[in-house]
Every structure is written in structure tokens, then in C-alpha cells.
Amino acid sequence: MSLLLPHLRRGRIEAEGLTATQWSSPQDKAKLANAILAFVAKGLPEEGFSKALYQRVSQMWGFIACFNRNGFAGRYFSSTQGRLAFLDQIIARGGIGDPAWTWSDVESRIAVLLVEHQVLDLYRAELRQETVRGEQALLRRLLDRHGSSLFRWVCSDTLRCP
């Protein structure tokens, strides 16, 4: 399940204060940084991970290209656990390097915004809820299949169940 985080859109990154590289202007950096934030705000949907995002993000925060866009998206955006790993890596790595040669200024600003908006905490809570829902569904299936005999088996004399 994707978490929609529209409040992240208020944390726009402006070109002022960003450093140009030989290949990218501060405006280019700001535009793509805001596209990354918009992608996170939409819940990191696998289908929303564009080729342009893949080409830049796979070179940021220590990510590797995962062979292609589909491999990267499948690894990080097909589950809550993958999304959490993606966001965790962004925050853990922050921005490393000289912003005149890298996008470390953008990496740092995005990491700070994710921390400020407690995005990791929200995804951890969602993962816990998914786990509980999955366990409850499994319990319902087991009870449907085995009925009260399952309860009697689980609650043997040694466990002293009511």
C-alpha cells in the first residue's frame, strides 16, 4: 500500500542555494528535486517512477542502477518494505560529495525534508499495520480450515489457555 503524503509538496526546493555542475544548472536540480518529492508525496508508486527519475535517482544516495528502470522500481516501489528501504537509504546517506560535481546539495535537502516530515515513521507504522492485517488474514484462513481444533491444538495444557 502506498502512503499519500501531500504535505511534502509544501517543502519545495528552490534553485537559490543549489550549486551548478558542469552538466546541470541549479534550476535543473530544483526541477528534478521537486519531481522526486512529488513522487514521494504520491506514495512512491511503481508506475510513477519515470525514466527521468530513474536516470537521476539511480545515481544518487549510493543507489545502484539495478540493471534497468523496471528492476529498480520492482526492488524499491512494489512493496511497503521496499519503499521503506528506499527512504531509509536516502536519509542514511544524506548528501556526500562536492555539489559542484554531484547532486549532494539536492540529496541533503531531500533527506532533511523526509526527516522533518517523519516519513520513515509513517512507513514503519504502515508496515506494522500490513503485518498485522496479514497475520489476521492467515488466522482467519486457518480457523476456517481447522475450526476449533486449531484452537485446542494451540492451547494445549502446557499453555494454559482459557
Side-chain angles (χ1 to χ4, degrees), residues 90-140:
I90 289 174
I91 291 169
R93 292 286 298 228
I96 298 171
D98 182 342
W101 294 97
T102 69
W103 282 48
S104 60
D105 47 356
V106 171
E107 292 171 331
S108 296
R109 289 189 188 191
I110 290 175
V112 166
L113 284 170
L114 295 179
V115 169
E116 286 175 358
H117 290 278
Q118 301 175 333
V119 174
L120 276 183
D121 292 337
L122 295 169
Y123 270 92
R124 284 184 185 120
E126 178 59 29
L127 186 59
R128 282 191 301 275
Q129 288 297 320
E130 282 181 10
T131 300
V132 167
R133 286 190 298 267
E135 290 171 348
Q136 289 171 339
L138 175 60
L139 179 59
R140 279 191 297 278

XYZ file of all heavy atoms in Angstrom, residues 90-140:
409
model
N 17.973 6.962 1.570
C 18.077 8.405 1.315
C 18.473 9.137 2.592
O 19.379 9.970 2.593
C 16.748 8.961 0.762
C 16.529 8.465 -0.672
C 16.724 10.492 0.814
C 15.182 8.828 -1.249
N 17.797 8.821 3.678
C 18.062 9.511 4.939
C 19.425 9.123 5.497
O 20.172 9.974 5.989
C 16.924 9.244 5.938
C 15.654 9.959 5.441
C 17.292 9.704 7.340
C 14.393 9.590 6.174
N 19.768 7.858 5.418
C 21.052 7.401 5.962
C 22.233 7.991 5.210
O 23.252 8.329 5.809
C 21.122 5.869 5.925
N 22.107 8.152 3.909
C 23.222 8.638 3.105
C 23.300 10.164 3.066
O 24.388 10.719 2.934
C 23.108 8.116 1.666
C 23.302 6.626 1.512
C 24.731 6.231 1.666
N 25.543 6.853 0.644
C 26.417 6.243 -0.100
N 26.618 4.964 0.055
N 27.116 6.900 -0.997
N 22.150 10.844 3.135
C 22.176 12.294 3.025
C 22.825 12.703 1.724
O 22.583 12.111 0.691
N 23.696 13.682 1.780
C 24.400 14.126 0.585
C 25.899 14.039 0.785
O 26.435 14.593 1.735
N 26.564 13.334 -0.096
C 28.011 13.154 0.006
C 28.649 13.686 -1.262
O 28.204 13.391 -2.363
C 28.366 11.656 0.194
C 27.750 11.134 1.492
C 29.875 11.451 0.175
C 27.861 9.640 1.675
N 29.704 14.466 -1.097
C 30.431 14.962 -2.257
C 30.314 16.461 -2.414
O 29.587 17.141 -1.694
N 31.018 16.954 -3.383
C 31.043 18.375 -3.707
C 29.872 18.689 -4.626
O 29.763 18.119 -5.710
C 32.377 18.692 -4.399
C 32.548 20.149 -4.748
O 31.540 20.893 -4.786
O 33.690 20.550 -4.993
N 28.964 19.599 -4.231
C 27.798 19.888 -5.065
C 28.137 20.498 -6.422
O 27.281 20.541 -7.302
C 26.964 20.842 -4.212
C 27.889 21.398 -3.210
C 28.961 20.375 -2.991
N 29.362 20.934 -6.614
C 29.764 21.415 -7.935
C 29.985 20.244 -8.900
O 30.033 20.437 -10.110
C 31.029 22.258 -7.838
N 30.101 19.032 -8.347
C 30.341 17.847 -9.169
C 29.243 16.799 -9.017
O 29.149 15.862 -9.823
C 31.684 17.221 -8.817
C 32.811 18.116 -9.169
C 33.466 18.979 -8.330
C 33.387 18.307 -10.456
N 34.420 19.681 -9.013
C 34.397 19.275 -10.339
C 33.153 17.739 -11.712
C 35.163 19.699 -11.401
C 33.930 18.156 -12.777
C 34.920 19.123 -12.616
N 28.458 16.894 -7.963
C 27.414 15.904 -7.675
C 26.114 16.637 -7.374
O 26.051 17.861 -7.388
C 27.782 15.057 -6.439
O 27.712 15.891 -5.280
C 29.160 14.443 -6.569
N 25.110 15.874 -7.044
C 23.830 16.437 -6.615
C 23.705 16.335 -5.098
O 22.619 16.219 -4.539
C 22.686 15.696 -7.308
C 22.475 16.120 -8.736
C 23.432 16.260 -9.706
C 21.244 16.468 -9.332
N 22.851 16.665 -10.874
C 21.506 16.800 -10.680
C 19.941 16.527 -8.880
C 20.508 17.191 -11.556
C 18.944 16.910 -9.760
C 19.229 17.238 -11.086
N 24.816 16.402 -4.393
C 24.799 16.233 -2.941
C 23.970 17.305 -2.239
O 23.383 17.033 -1.183
C 26.225 16.215 -2.382
O 26.896 17.421 -2.677
N 23.901 18.495 -2.810
C 23.073 19.540 -2.199
C 21.593 19.152 -2.253
O 20.862 19.321 -1.285
C 23.330 20.907 -2.829
C 23.340 20.917 -4.358
O 23.228 19.835 -4.989
O 23.476 22.013 -4.933
N 21.173 18.587 -3.363
C 19.790 18.124 -3.503
C 19.551 16.916 -2.589
O 18.525 16.836 -1.905
C 19.484 17.766 -4.976
C 18.138 17.070 -5.104
C 19.538 19.009 -5.847
N 20.500 15.990 -2.576
C 20.368 14.803 -1.723
C 20.162 15.209 -0.261
O 19.285 14.667 0.421
C 21.615 13.925 -1.855
C 21.772 13.274 -3.207
C 23.120 12.589 -3.381
O 24.103 13.036 -2.758
O 23.177 11.610 -4.129
N 20.966 16.145 0.203
C 20.863 16.598 1.596
C 19.521 17.241 1.883
O 18.899 16.954 2.919
C 21.969 17.607 1.911
O 23.226 17.011 1.811
N 19.076 18.104 0.997
C 17.804 18.805 1.238
C 16.617 17.851 1.251
O 15.713 17.993 2.067
C 17.596 19.898 0.195
C 18.542 21.054 0.407
C 18.186 22.200 -0.465
N 19.213 23.218 -0.382
C 19.063 24.424 -0.873
N 17.950 24.756 -1.479
N 20.038 25.304 -0.765
N 16.623 16.882 0.345
C 15.526 15.917 0.327
C 15.553 15.070 1.595
O 14.517 14.846 2.219
C 15.565 15.055 -0.951
C 15.189 15.922 -2.158
C 14.633 13.849 -0.825
C 15.301 15.233 -3.503
N 16.737 14.627 2.006
C 16.853 13.829 3.233
C 16.328 14.613 4.429
O 15.588 14.071 5.265
C 18.301 13.405 3.459
N 16.673 15.882 4.522
C 16.207 16.718 5.637
C 14.685 16.837 5.627
O 14.033 16.712 6.672
C 16.880 18.109 5.593
C 16.172 19.102 6.500
C 18.354 17.994 5.965
N 14.108 17.048 4.463
C 12.645 17.158 4.379
C 11.961 15.850 4.788
O 10.934 15.872 5.467
C 12.220 17.554 2.959
C 12.429 19.019 2.603
C 12.209 19.247 1.117
C 11.489 19.897 3.424
N 12.529 14.721 4.391
C 11.937 13.441 4.774
C 11.986 13.245 6.283
O 11.034 12.730 6.878
C 12.649 12.291 4.058
C 12.504 12.249 2.537
C 13.278 11.079 1.962
C 11.047 12.214 2.110
N 13.081 13.663 6.898
C 13.189 13.572 8.363
C 12.193 14.524 9.023
O 11.473 14.138 9.948
C 14.629 13.861 8.836
C 14.696 14.022 10.343
C 15.574 12.753 8.375
N 12.147 15.765 8.551
C 11.229 16.755 9.136
C 9.778 16.292 9.080
O 8.997 16.559 9.991
C 11.362 18.101 8.410
C 12.612 18.852 8.747
C 12.780 20.129 7.930
O 11.923 20.423 7.052
O 13.778 20.833 8.159
N 9.418 15.612 8.002
C 8.037 15.158 7.825
C 7.806 13.742 8.365
O 6.740 13.168 8.160
C 7.633 15.244 6.354
C 7.496 16.655 5.878
N 6.357 17.399 6.084
C 8.360 17.462 5.229
C 6.527 18.611 5.580
N 7.734 18.678 5.050
N 8.816 13.197 9.039
C 8.723 11.888 9.704
C 8.228 10.788 8.764
O 7.447 9.915 9.143
C 7.823 11.987 10.933
C 8.335 12.994 11.941
C 7.402 13.196 13.105
O 6.195 13.003 13.002
N 7.960 13.584 14.228
N 8.719 10.818 7.542
C 8.270 9.875 6.523
C 8.632 8.435 6.886
O 7.819 7.520 6.707
C 8.820 10.276 5.138
C 8.488 9.249 4.081
C 8.265 11.643 4.732
N 9.822 8.220 7.436
C 10.200 6.852 7.822
C 9.253 6.311 8.889
O 8.853 5.144 8.830
C 11.637 6.804 8.349
C 12.746 6.691 7.326
C 14.098 6.576 8.032
C 12.559 5.539 6.383
N 8.907 7.129 9.869
C 7.993 6.685 10.923
C 6.634 6.291 10.337
O 6.033 5.298 10.750
C 7.805 7.770 11.978
C 9.058 8.032 12.783
O 9.928 7.135 12.850
O 9.173 9.136 13.355
N 6.154 7.065 9.371
C 4.864 6.765 8.746
C 4.919 5.438 7.993
O 3.993 4.623 8.086
C 4.462 7.901 7.808
C 4.190 9.242 8.481
C 4.060 10.354 7.455
C 2.944 9.151 9.349
N 6.019 5.198 7.274
C 6.152 3.937 6.542
C 6.376 2.757 7.482
O 5.881 1.658 7.221
C 7.257 4.024 5.479
C 6.704 4.512 4.165
C 6.698 5.866 3.861
C 6.161 3.628 3.242
C 6.160 6.322 2.659
C 5.618 4.075 2.043
C 5.626 5.423 1.758
O 5.090 5.864 0.579
N 7.086 2.963 8.571
C 7.251 1.881 9.557
C 5.896 1.503 10.168
O 5.594 0.320 10.353
C 8.225 2.299 10.648
C 9.666 2.268 10.195
C 10.619 2.592 11.347
N 11.969 2.672 10.872
C 12.746 3.757 10.964
N 12.312 4.843 11.579
N 13.972 3.743 10.476
N 5.092 2.510 10.472
C 3.757 2.244 11.027
C 2.896 1.509 10.004
O 2.163 0.572 10.357
C 3.087 3.556 11.449
N 2.992 1.894 8.758
C 2.231 1.221 7.703
C 2.680 -0.230 7.564
O 1.853 -1.135 7.415
C 2.375 1.953 6.372
C 1.659 1.282 5.218
C 0.160 1.106 5.421
O -0.462 1.917 6.135
O -0.390 0.137 4.866
N 3.975 -0.478 7.619
C 4.491 -1.842 7.525
C 3.985 -2.690 8.700
O 3.592 -3.850 8.514
C 6.020 -1.841 7.467
C 6.687 -3.194 7.227
C 6.223 -3.816 5.915
C 8.205 -3.022 7.228
N 3.953 -2.112 9.897
C 3.416 -2.840 11.060
C 1.940 -3.188 10.849
O 1.500 -4.301 11.133
C 3.589 -2.019 12.345
C 4.993 -2.048 12.906
C 5.065 -1.456 14.311
N 4.623 -0.078 14.396
C 5.393 0.993 14.146
N 6.659 0.832 13.795
N 4.903 2.205 14.253
N 1.181 -2.226 10.329
C -0.243 -2.471 10.072
C -0.432 -3.561 9.016
O -1.306 -4.420 9.146
C -0.942 -1.178 9.633
C -1.127 -0.185 10.751
C -2.030 -0.748 11.832
O -3.028 -1.410 11.571
N -1.667 -0.511 13.086
N 0.378 -3.530 7.962
C 0.294 -4.571 6.935
C 0.593 -5.941 7.533
O -0.053 -6.927 7.183
C 1.277 -4.287 5.800
C 0.819 -3.229 4.846
C 1.814 -3.002 3.715
O 2.773 -3.796 3.549
O 1.616 -2.022 2.978
N 1.578 -5.995 8.418
C 1.937 -7.257 9.065
C 0.773 -7.772 9.898
O 0.409 -8.954 9.813
C 3.188 -7.082 9.941
O 4.270 -6.644 9.101
C 3.575 -8.369 10.644
N 0.148 -6.909 10.673
C -0.996 -7.306 11.498
C -2.142 -7.772 10.603
O -2.751 -8.830 10.860
C -1.443 -6.149 12.425
C -2.806 -6.422 13.047
C -0.389 -5.889 13.486
N -2.441 -7.023 9.548
C -3.529 -7.419 8.636
C -3.231 -8.776 8.007
O -4.116 -9.628 7.883
C -3.750 -6.357 7.565
C -4.446 -5.102 8.076
C -4.877 -4.177 6.945
N -3.777 -3.682 6.148
C -3.129 -2.543 6.347
N -3.478 -1.759 7.351
N -2.157 -2.166 5.542
N -1.995 -9.003 7.606
C -1.614 -10.281 7.021
C -1.738 -11.424 8.005
O -2.229 -12.513 7.657
N -1.298 -11.205 9.229
C -1.401 -12.245 10.258
C -2.857 -12.541 10.601
O -3.239 -13.695 10.807
C -0.623 -11.831 11.505
C 0.878 -11.856 11.295
C 1.663 -11.246 12.452
O 1.054 -10.590 13.334
O 2.893 -11.410 12.458
N -3.682 -11.488 10.655
C -5.098 -11.698 10.937
C -5.772 -12.479 9.814
O -6.599 -13.356 10.058
C -5.810 -10.362 11.162
C -5.428 -9.706 12.476
C -5.966 -8.289 12.604
O -6.297 -7.633 11.615
N -6.020 -7.809 13.841
N -5.405 -12.180 8.575
C -5.971 -12.910 7.434
C -5.544 -14.374 7.478
O -6.359 -15.270 7.212
C -5.540 -12.254 6.122
N -4.300 -14.627 7.823
C -3.819 -16.001 7.949
C -4.569 -16.735 9.059
O -4.992 -17.885 8.876
C -2.315 -16.017 8.235
C -1.694 -17.386 8.519
C -1.886 -18.337 7.340
C -0.219 -17.224 8.858
N -4.766 -16.085 10.188
C -5.505 -16.697 11.290
C -6.934 -17.033 10.859
O -7.435 -18.131 11.149
C -5.514 -15.774 12.514
C -6.280 -16.286 13.729
C -5.712 -17.621 14.209
C -6.249 -15.243 14.838
N -7.596 -16.125 10.142
C -8.960 -16.393 9.661
C -8.981 -17.612 8.736
O -9.859 -18.469 8.841
C -9.534 -15.167 8.950
C -10.089 -14.119 9.892
C -10.891 -13.044 9.158
N -10.081 -12.276 8.222
C -9.304 -11.244 8.567
N -9.229 -10.866 9.827
N -8.609 -10.593 7.666
